[in-house]
mmCIF file with all atom_site columns, all heavy atoms in Angstrom:
data_model
loop_
_atom_site.group_PDB
_atom_site.id
_atom_site.type_symbol
_atom_site.label_atom_id
_atom_site.label_alt_id
_atom_site.label_comp_id
_atom_site.label_asym_id
_atom_site.label_entity_id
_atom_site.label_seq_id
_atom_site.pdbx_PDB_ins_code
_atom_site.Cartn_x
_atom_site.Cartn_y
_atom_site.Cartn_z
_atom_site.occupancy
_atom_site.B_iso_or_equiv
_atom_site.pdbx_formal_charge
_atom_site.auth_seq_id
_atom_site.auth_comp_id
_atom_site.auth_asym_id
_atom_site.auth_atom_id
_atom_site.pdbx_PDB_model_num
ATOM 1   N N   . VAL A 1 69 ? 7.413  8.000  -0.605  1.00 0.00 ? 291 VAL A N   1
ATOM 2   C CA  . VAL A 1 69 ? 7.260  9.406  -0.247  1.00 0.00 ? 291 VAL A CA  1
ATOM 3   C C   . VAL A 1 69 ? 5.897  9.889  -0.716  1.00 0.00 ? 291 VAL A C   1
ATOM 4   O O   . VAL A 1 69 ? 5.244  9.257  -1.545  1.00 0.00 ? 291 VAL A O   1
ATOM 5   C CB  . VAL A 1 69 ? 8.376  10.277 -0.869  1.00 0.00 ? 291 VAL A CB  1
ATOM 6   C CG1 . VAL A 1 69 ? 9.738  9.795  -0.389  1.00 0.00 ? 291 VAL A CG1 1
ATOM 7   C CG2 . VAL A 1 69 ? 8.312  10.256 -2.391  1.00 0.00 ? 291 VAL A CG2 1
ATOM 8   N N   . LYS A 1 70 ? 5.461  11.027 -0.200  1.00 0.00 ? 292 LYS A N   1
ATOM 9   C CA  . LYS A 1 70 ? 4.148  11.567 -0.533  1.00 0.00 ? 292 LYS A CA  1
ATOM 10  C C   . LYS A 1 70 ? 4.115  12.053 -1.979  1.00 0.00 ? 292 LYS A C   1
ATOM 11  O O   . LYS A 1 70 ? 5.135  12.499 -2.520  1.00 0.00 ? 292 LYS A O   1
ATOM 12  C CB  . LYS A 1 70 ? 3.792  12.712 0.413   1.00 0.00 ? 292 LYS A CB  1
ATOM 13  C CG  . LYS A 1 70 ? 3.636  12.285 1.866   1.00 0.00 ? 292 LYS A CG  1
ATOM 14  C CD  . LYS A 1 70 ? 3.241  13.463 2.731   1.00 0.00 ? 292 LYS A CD  1
ATOM 15  C CE  . LYS A 1 70 ? 3.148  13.051 4.204   1.00 0.00 ? 292 LYS A CE  1
ATOM 16  N NZ  . LYS A 1 70 ? 2.148  11.989 4.430   1.00 0.00 ? 292 LYS A NZ  1
ATOM 17  N N   . PRO A 1 71 ? 2.935  11.981 -2.607  1.00 0.00 ? 293 PRO A N   1
ATOM 18  C CA  . PRO A 1 71 ? 2.835  12.449 -3.996  1.00 0.00 ? 293 PRO A CA  1
ATOM 19  C C   . PRO A 1 71 ? 3.314  13.883 -4.184  1.00 0.00 ? 293 PRO A C   1
ATOM 20  O O   . PRO A 1 71 ? 3.904  14.220 -5.213  1.00 0.00 ? 293 PRO A O   1
ATOM 21  C CB  . PRO A 1 71 ? 1.329  12.324 -4.294  1.00 0.00 ? 293 PRO A CB  1
ATOM 22  C CG  . PRO A 1 71 ? 0.832  11.282 -3.353  1.00 0.00 ? 293 PRO A CG  1
ATOM 23  C CD  . PRO A 1 71 ? 1.668  11.430 -2.111  1.00 0.00 ? 293 PRO A CD  1
ATOM 24  N N   . GLN A 1 72 ? 3.101  14.710 -3.173  1.00 0.00 ? 294 GLN A N   1
ATOM 25  C CA  . GLN A 1 72 ? 3.449  16.130 -3.294  1.00 0.00 ? 294 GLN A CA  1
ATOM 26  C C   . GLN A 1 72 ? 4.949  16.372 -3.404  1.00 0.00 ? 294 GLN A C   1
ATOM 27  O O   . GLN A 1 72 ? 5.364  17.421 -3.900  1.00 0.00 ? 294 GLN A O   1
ATOM 28  C CB  . GLN A 1 72 ? 2.882  16.912 -2.100  1.00 0.00 ? 294 GLN A CB  1
ATOM 29  C CG  . GLN A 1 72 ? 1.366  16.932 -2.030  1.00 0.00 ? 294 GLN A CG  1
ATOM 30  C CD  . GLN A 1 72 ? 0.780  15.746 -1.266  1.00 0.00 ? 294 GLN A CD  1
ATOM 31  O OE1 . GLN A 1 72 ? 1.425  14.704 -1.120  1.00 0.00 ? 294 GLN A OE1 1
ATOM 32  N NE2 . GLN A 1 72 ? -0.428 15.905 -0.772  1.00 0.00 ? 294 GLN A NE2 1
ATOM 33  N N   . VAL A 1 73 ? 5.764  15.442 -2.925  1.00 0.00 ? 295 VAL A N   1
ATOM 34  C CA  . VAL A 1 73 ? 7.216  15.633 -2.998  1.00 0.00 ? 295 VAL A CA  1
ATOM 35  C C   . VAL A 1 73 ? 7.880  14.673 -3.978  1.00 0.00 ? 295 VAL A C   1
ATOM 36  O O   . VAL A 1 73 ? 9.104  14.701 -4.142  1.00 0.00 ? 295 VAL A O   1
ATOM 37  C CB  . VAL A 1 73 ? 7.871  15.485 -1.598  1.00 0.00 ? 295 VAL A CB  1
ATOM 38  C CG1 . VAL A 1 73 ? 7.292  16.493 -0.628  1.00 0.00 ? 295 VAL A CG1 1
ATOM 39  C CG2 . VAL A 1 73 ? 7.706  14.068 -1.056  1.00 0.00 ? 295 VAL A CG2 1
ATOM 40  N N   . MET A 1 74 ? 7.091  13.854 -4.637  1.00 0.00 ? 296 MET A N   1
ATOM 41  C CA  . MET A 1 74 ? 7.661  12.853 -5.544  1.00 0.00 ? 296 MET A CA  1
ATOM 42  C C   . MET A 1 74 ? 8.456  13.511 -6.665  1.00 0.00 ? 296 MET A C   1
ATOM 43  O O   . MET A 1 74 ? 9.528  13.019 -7.057  1.00 0.00 ? 296 MET A O   1
ATOM 44  C CB  . MET A 1 74 ? 6.556  11.978 -6.131  1.00 0.00 ? 296 MET A CB  1
ATOM 45  C CG  . MET A 1 74 ? 7.066  10.846 -7.007  1.00 0.00 ? 296 MET A CG  1
ATOM 46  S SD  . MET A 1 74 ? 8.060  9.629  -6.097  1.00 0.00 ? 296 MET A SD  1
ATOM 47  C CE  . MET A 1 74 ? 6.745  8.700  -5.277  1.00 0.00 ? 296 MET A CE  1
ATOM 48  N N   . GLY A 1 75 ? 7.962  14.614 -7.208  1.00 0.00 ? 297 GLY A N   1
ATOM 49  C CA  . GLY A 1 75 ? 8.650  15.269 -8.310  1.00 0.00 ? 297 GLY A CA  1
ATOM 50  C C   . GLY A 1 75 ? 10.075 15.658 -7.967  1.00 0.00 ? 297 GLY A C   1
ATOM 51  O O   . GLY A 1 75 ? 11.000 15.447 -8.763  1.00 0.00 ? 297 GLY A O   1
ATOM 52  N N   . SER A 1 76 ? 10.273 16.202 -6.777  1.00 0.00 ? 298 SER A N   1
ATOM 53  C CA  . SER A 1 76 ? 11.614 16.628 -6.383  1.00 0.00 ? 298 SER A CA  1
ATOM 54  C C   . SER A 1 76 ? 12.528 15.421 -6.159  1.00 0.00 ? 298 SER A C   1
ATOM 55  O O   . SER A 1 76 ? 13.728 15.477 -6.454  1.00 0.00 ? 298 SER A O   1
ATOM 56  C CB  . SER A 1 76 ? 11.551 17.491 -5.126  1.00 0.00 ? 298 SER A CB  1
ATOM 57  O OG  . SER A 1 76 ? 11.003 16.772 -4.032  1.00 0.00 ? 298 SER A OG  1
ATOM 58  N N   . VAL A 1 77 ? 11.979 14.326 -5.640  1.00 0.00 ? 299 VAL A N   1
ATOM 59  C CA  . VAL A 1 77 ? 12.777 13.111 -5.455  1.00 0.00 ? 299 VAL A CA  1
ATOM 60  C C   . VAL A 1 77 ? 13.213 12.558 -6.811  1.00 0.00 ? 299 VAL A C   1
ATOM 61  O O   . VAL A 1 77 ? 14.374 12.170 -7.003  1.00 0.00 ? 299 VAL A O   1
ATOM 62  C CB  . VAL A 1 77 ? 11.990 12.056 -4.657  1.00 0.00 ? 299 VAL A CB  1
ATOM 63  C CG1 . VAL A 1 77 ? 12.730 10.714 -4.651  1.00 0.00 ? 299 VAL A CG1 1
ATOM 64  C CG2 . VAL A 1 77 ? 11.761 12.527 -3.228  1.00 0.00 ? 299 VAL A CG2 1
ATOM 65  N N   . LEU A 1 78 ? 12.294 12.531 -7.759  1.00 0.00 ? 300 LEU A N   1
ATOM 66  C CA  . LEU A 1 78 ? 12.632 12.024 -9.091  1.00 0.00 ? 300 LEU A CA  1
ATOM 67  C C   . LEU A 1 78 ? 13.685 12.899 -9.765  1.00 0.00 ? 300 LEU A C   1
ATOM 68  O O   . LEU A 1 78 ? 14.591 12.393 -10.445 1.00 0.00 ? 300 LEU A O   1
ATOM 69  C CB  . LEU A 1 78 ? 11.380 11.947 -9.957  1.00 0.00 ? 300 LEU A CB  1
ATOM 70  C CG  . LEU A 1 78 ? 10.289 10.972 -9.488  1.00 0.00 ? 300 LEU A CG  1
ATOM 71  C CD1 . LEU A 1 78 ? 9.105  11.004 -10.431 1.00 0.00 ? 300 LEU A CD1 1
ATOM 72  C CD2 . LEU A 1 78 ? 10.830 9.556  -9.370  1.00 0.00 ? 300 LEU A CD2 1
ATOM 73  N N   . GLU A 1 79 ? 13.568 14.201 -9.578  1.00 0.00 ? 301 GLU A N   1
ATOM 74  C CA  . GLU A 1 79 ? 14.562 15.113 -10.154 1.00 0.00 ? 301 GLU A CA  1
ATOM 75  C C   . GLU A 1 79 ? 15.955 14.816 -9.600  1.00 0.00 ? 301 GLU A C   1
ATOM 76  O O   . GLU A 1 79 ? 16.959 14.891 -10.319 1.00 0.00 ? 301 GLU A O   1
ATOM 77  C CB  . GLU A 1 79 ? 14.165 16.555 -9.847  1.00 0.00 ? 301 GLU A CB  1
ATOM 78  C CG  . GLU A 1 79 ? 15.076 17.596 -10.473 1.00 0.00 ? 301 GLU A CG  1
ATOM 79  C CD  . GLU A 1 79 ? 14.605 19.014 -10.206 1.00 0.00 ? 301 GLU A CD  1
ATOM 80  O OE1 . GLU A 1 79 ? 13.550 19.192 -9.547  1.00 0.00 ? 301 GLU A OE1 1
ATOM 81  O OE2 . GLU A 1 79 ? 15.297 19.958 -10.649 1.00 0.00 ? 301 GLU A OE2 1
ATOM 82  N N   . GLU A 1 80 ? 15.997 14.444 -8.326  1.00 0.00 ? 302 GLU A N   1
ATOM 83  C CA  . GLU A 1 80 ? 17.276 14.142 -7.688  1.00 0.00 ? 302 GLU A CA  1
ATOM 84  C C   . GLU A 1 80 ? 17.881 12.837 -8.177  1.00 0.00 ? 302 GLU A C   1
ATOM 85  O O   . GLU A 1 80 ? 19.094 12.749 -8.409  1.00 0.00 ? 302 GLU A O   1
ATOM 86  C CB  . GLU A 1 80 ? 17.084 14.087 -6.169  1.00 0.00 ? 302 GLU A CB  1
ATOM 87  C CG  . GLU A 1 80 ? 18.342 13.738 -5.395  1.00 0.00 ? 302 GLU A CG  1
ATOM 88  C CD  . GLU A 1 80 ? 18.088 13.583 -3.900  1.00 0.00 ? 302 GLU A CD  1
ATOM 89  O OE1 . GLU A 1 80 ? 16.947 13.837 -3.460  1.00 0.00 ? 302 GLU A OE1 1
ATOM 90  O OE2 . GLU A 1 80 ? 19.040 13.212 -3.188  1.00 0.00 ? 302 GLU A OE2 1
ATOM 91  N N   . ILE A 1 81 ? 17.045 11.808 -8.338  1.00 0.00 ? 303 ILE A N   1
ATOM 92  C CA  . ILE A 1 81 ? 17.593 10.486 -8.657  1.00 0.00 ? 303 ILE A CA  1
ATOM 93  C C   . ILE A 1 81 ? 17.702 10.200 -10.147 1.00 0.00 ? 303 ILE A C   1
ATOM 94  O O   . ILE A 1 81 ? 18.391 9.250  -10.543 1.00 0.00 ? 303 ILE A O   1
ATOM 95  C CB  . ILE A 1 81 ? 16.779 9.362  -7.976  1.00 0.00 ? 303 ILE A CB  1
ATOM 96  C CG1 . ILE A 1 81 ? 15.369 9.248  -8.580  1.00 0.00 ? 303 ILE A CG1 1
ATOM 97  C CG2 . ILE A 1 81 ? 16.730 9.569  -6.467  1.00 0.00 ? 303 ILE A CG2 1
ATOM 98  C CD1 . ILE A 1 81 ? 14.575 8.052  -8.051  1.00 0.00 ? 303 ILE A CD1 1
ATOM 99  N N   . ALA A 1 82 ? 17.056 11.000 -10.988 1.00 0.00 ? 304 ALA A N   1
ATOM 100 C CA  . ALA A 1 82 ? 17.072 10.742 -12.432 1.00 0.00 ? 304 ALA A CA  1
ATOM 101 C C   . ALA A 1 82 ? 18.491 10.671 -13.002 1.00 0.00 ? 304 ALA A C   1
ATOM 102 O O   . ALA A 1 82 ? 18.806 9.734  -13.759 1.00 0.00 ? 304 ALA A O   1
ATOM 103 C CB  . ALA A 1 82 ? 16.239 11.788 -13.170 1.00 0.00 ? 304 ALA A CB  1
ATOM 104 N N   . PRO A 1 83 ? 19.387 11.610 -12.680 1.00 0.00 ? 305 PRO A N   1
ATOM 105 C CA  . PRO A 1 83 ? 20.750 11.519 -13.235 1.00 0.00 ? 305 PRO A CA  1
ATOM 106 C C   . PRO A 1 83 ? 21.495 10.267 -12.781 1.00 0.00 ? 305 PRO A C   1
ATOM 107 O O   . PRO A 1 83 ? 22.284 9.694  -13.547 1.00 0.00 ? 305 PRO A O   1
ATOM 108 C CB  . PRO A 1 83 ? 21.434 12.784 -12.703 1.00 0.00 ? 305 PRO A CB  1
ATOM 109 C CG  . PRO A 1 83 ? 20.327 13.716 -12.340 1.00 0.00 ? 305 PRO A CG  1
ATOM 110 C CD  . PRO A 1 83 ? 19.213 12.836 -11.877 1.00 0.00 ? 305 PRO A CD  1
ATOM 111 N N   . VAL A 1 84 ? 21.233 9.837  -11.542 1.00 0.00 ? 306 VAL A N   1
ATOM 112 C CA  . VAL A 1 84 ? 21.899 8.635  -11.024 1.00 0.00 ? 306 VAL A CA  1
ATOM 113 C C   . VAL A 1 84 ? 21.399 7.403  -11.768 1.00 0.00 ? 306 VAL A C   1
ATOM 114 O O   . VAL A 1 84 ? 22.186 6.526  -12.149 1.00 0.00 ? 306 VAL A O   1
ATOM 115 C CB  . VAL A 1 84 ? 21.649 8.486  -9.513  1.00 0.00 ? 306 VAL A CB  1
ATOM 116 C CG1 . VAL A 1 84 ? 22.469 7.324  -8.951  1.00 0.00 ? 306 VAL A CG1 1
ATOM 117 C CG2 . VAL A 1 84 ? 21.982 9.764  -8.773  1.00 0.00 ? 306 VAL A CG2 1
ATOM 118 N N   . LEU A 1 85 ? 20.094 7.342  -12.000 1.00 0.00 ? 307 LEU A N   1
ATOM 119 C CA  . LEU A 1 85 ? 19.529 6.226  -12.752 1.00 0.00 ? 307 LEU A CA  1
ATOM 120 C C   . LEU A 1 85 ? 20.104 6.178  -14.165 1.00 0.00 ? 307 LEU A C   1
ATOM 121 O O   . LEU A 1 85 ? 20.429 5.099  -14.681 1.00 0.00 ? 307 LEU A O   1
ATOM 122 C CB  . LEU A 1 85 ? 18.005 6.350  -12.812 1.00 0.00 ? 307 LEU A CB  1
ATOM 123 C CG  . LEU A 1 85 ? 17.248 6.030  -11.520 1.00 0.00 ? 307 LEU A CG  1
ATOM 124 C CD1 . LEU A 1 85 ? 15.795 6.494  -11.624 1.00 0.00 ? 307 LEU A CD1 1
ATOM 125 C CD2 . LEU A 1 85 ? 17.289 4.528  -11.229 1.00 0.00 ? 307 LEU A CD2 1
ATOM 126 N N   . GLU A 1 86 ? 20.217 7.335  -14.776 1.00 0.00 ? 308 GLU A N   1
ATOM 127 C CA  . GLU A 1 86 ? 20.749 7.381  -16.138 1.00 0.00 ? 308 GLU A CA  1
ATOM 128 C C   . GLU A 1 86 ? 22.190 6.886  -16.182 1.00 0.00 ? 308 GLU A C   1
ATOM 129 O O   . GLU A 1 86 ? 22.579 6.112  -17.076 1.00 0.00 ? 308 GLU A O   1
ATOM 130 C CB  . GLU A 1 86 ? 20.656 8.799  -16.680 1.00 0.00 ? 308 GLU A CB  1
ATOM 131 C CG  . GLU A 1 86 ? 21.051 8.915  -18.146 1.00 0.00 ? 308 GLU A CG  1
ATOM 132 C CD  . GLU A 1 86 ? 20.719 10.268 -18.728 1.00 0.00 ? 308 GLU A CD  1
ATOM 133 O OE1 . GLU A 1 86 ? 20.546 11.238 -17.951 1.00 0.00 ? 308 GLU A OE1 1
ATOM 134 O OE2 . GLU A 1 86 ? 20.629 10.363 -19.964 1.00 0.00 ? 308 GLU A OE2 1
ATOM 135 N N   . THR A 1 87 ? 23.000 7.300  -15.216 1.00 0.00 ? 309 THR A N   1
ATOM 136 C CA  . THR A 1 87 ? 24.390 6.849  -15.155 1.00 0.00 ? 309 THR A CA  1
ATOM 137 C C   . THR A 1 87 ? 24.468 5.342  -14.952 1.00 0.00 ? 309 THR A C   1
ATOM 138 O O   . THR A 1 87 ? 25.260 4.652  -15.606 1.00 0.00 ? 309 THR A O   1
ATOM 139 C CB  . THR A 1 87 ? 25.133 7.564  -14.009 1.00 0.00 ? 309 THR A CB  1
ATOM 140 O OG1 . THR A 1 87 ? 25.132 8.962  -14.261 1.00 0.00 ? 309 THR A OG1 1
ATOM 141 C CG2 . THR A 1 87 ? 26.561 7.063  -13.886 1.00 0.00 ? 309 THR A CG2 1
ATOM 142 N N   . CYS A 1 88 ? 23.619 4.825  -14.045 1.00 0.00 ? 310 CYS A N   1
ATOM 143 C CA  . CYS A 1 88 ? 23.602 3.382  -13.787 1.00 0.00 ? 310 CYS A CA  1
ATOM 144 C C   . CYS A 1 88 ? 23.230 2.608  -15.049 1.00 0.00 ? 310 CYS A C   1
ATOM 145 O O   . CYS A 1 88 ? 23.826 1.569  -15.359 1.00 0.00 ? 310 CYS A O   1
ATOM 146 C CB  . CYS A 1 88 ? 22.630 3.058  -12.660 1.00 0.00 ? 310 CYS A CB  1
ATOM 147 S SG  . CYS A 1 88 ? 23.154 3.617  -11.021 1.00 0.00 ? 310 CYS A SG  1
ATOM 148 N N   . ALA A 1 89 ? 22.238 3.113  -15.784 1.00 0.00 ? 311 ALA A N   1
ATOM 149 C CA  . ALA A 1 89 ? 21.811 2.452  -17.014 1.00 0.00 ? 311 ALA A CA  1
ATOM 150 C C   . ALA A 1 89 ? 22.938 2.432  -18.037 1.00 0.00 ? 311 ALA A C   1
ATOM 151 O O   . ALA A 1 89 ? 23.168 1.420  -18.724 1.00 0.00 ? 311 ALA A O   1
ATOM 152 C CB  . ALA A 1 89 ? 20.576 3.149  -17.579 1.00 0.00 ? 311 ALA A CB  1
ATOM 153 N N   . LYS A 1 90 ? 23.645 3.541  -18.163 1.00 0.00 ? 312 LYS A N   1
ATOM 154 C CA  . LYS A 1 90 ? 24.766 3.610  -19.109 1.00 0.00 ? 312 LYS A CA  1
ATOM 155 C C   . LYS A 1 90 ? 25.875 2.647  -18.735 1.00 0.00 ? 312 LYS A C   1
ATOM 156 O O   . LYS A 1 90 ? 26.636 2.190  -19.601 1.00 0.00 ? 312 LYS A O   1
ATOM 157 C CB  . LYS A 1 90 ? 25.296 5.038  -19.173 1.00 0.00 ? 312 LYS A CB  1
ATOM 158 C CG  . LYS A 1 90 ? 24.362 6.013  -19.885 1.00 0.00 ? 312 LYS A CG  1
ATOM 159 C CD  . LYS A 1 90 ? 24.931 7.422  -19.873 1.00 0.00 ? 312 LYS A CD  1
ATOM 160 C CE  . LYS A 1 90 ? 24.002 8.387  -20.616 1.00 0.00 ? 312 LYS A CE  1
ATOM 161 N NZ  . LYS A 1 90 ? 24.515 9.784  -20.571 1.00 0.00 ? 312 LYS A NZ  1
ATOM 162 N N   . GLU A 1 91 ? 25.975 2.352  -17.458 1.00 0.00 ? 313 GLU A N   1
ATOM 163 C CA  . GLU A 1 91 ? 26.997 1.400  -16.986 1.00 0.00 ? 313 GLU A CA  1
ATOM 164 C C   . GLU A 1 91 ? 26.517 -0.039 -17.026 1.00 0.00 ? 313 GLU A C   1
ATOM 165 O O   . GLU A 1 91 ? 27.196 -0.944 -16.545 1.00 0.00 ? 313 GLU A O   1
ATOM 166 C CB  . GLU A 1 91 ? 27.420 1.784  -15.570 1.00 0.00 ? 313 GLU A CB  1
ATOM 167 C CG  . GLU A 1 91 ? 28.146 3.131  -15.494 1.00 0.00 ? 313 GLU A CG  1
ATOM 168 C CD  . GLU A 1 91 ? 28.472 3.553  -14.075 1.00 0.00 ? 313 GLU A CD  1
ATOM 169 O OE1 . GLU A 1 91 ? 28.052 2.838  -13.130 1.00 0.00 ? 313 GLU A OE1 1
ATOM 170 O OE2 . GLU A 1 91 ? 29.134 4.596  -13.901 1.00 0.00 ? 313 GLU A OE2 1
ATOM 171 N N   . GLY A 1 92 ? 25.300 -0.253 -17.594 1.00 0.00 ? 314 GLY A N   1
ATOM 172 C CA  . GLY A 1 92 ? 24.792 -1.604 -17.801 1.00 0.00 ? 314 GLY A CA  1
ATOM 173 C C   . GLY A 1 92 ? 24.021 -2.192 -16.643 1.00 0.00 ? 314 GLY A C   1
ATOM 174 O O   . GLY A 1 92 ? 23.815 -3.407 -16.598 1.00 0.00 ? 314 GLY A O   1
#
Side-chain angles (χ1 to χ4, degrees):
V291 301
K292 296 182 183 300
Q294 295 88 338
V295 301
M296 184 64 78
S298 61
V299 171
L300 296 180
E301 184 177 359
E302 178 185 355
I303 68 174
V306 186
L307 286 167
E308 186 170 20
T309 299
C310 290
K312 288 178 179 178
E313 294 176 355

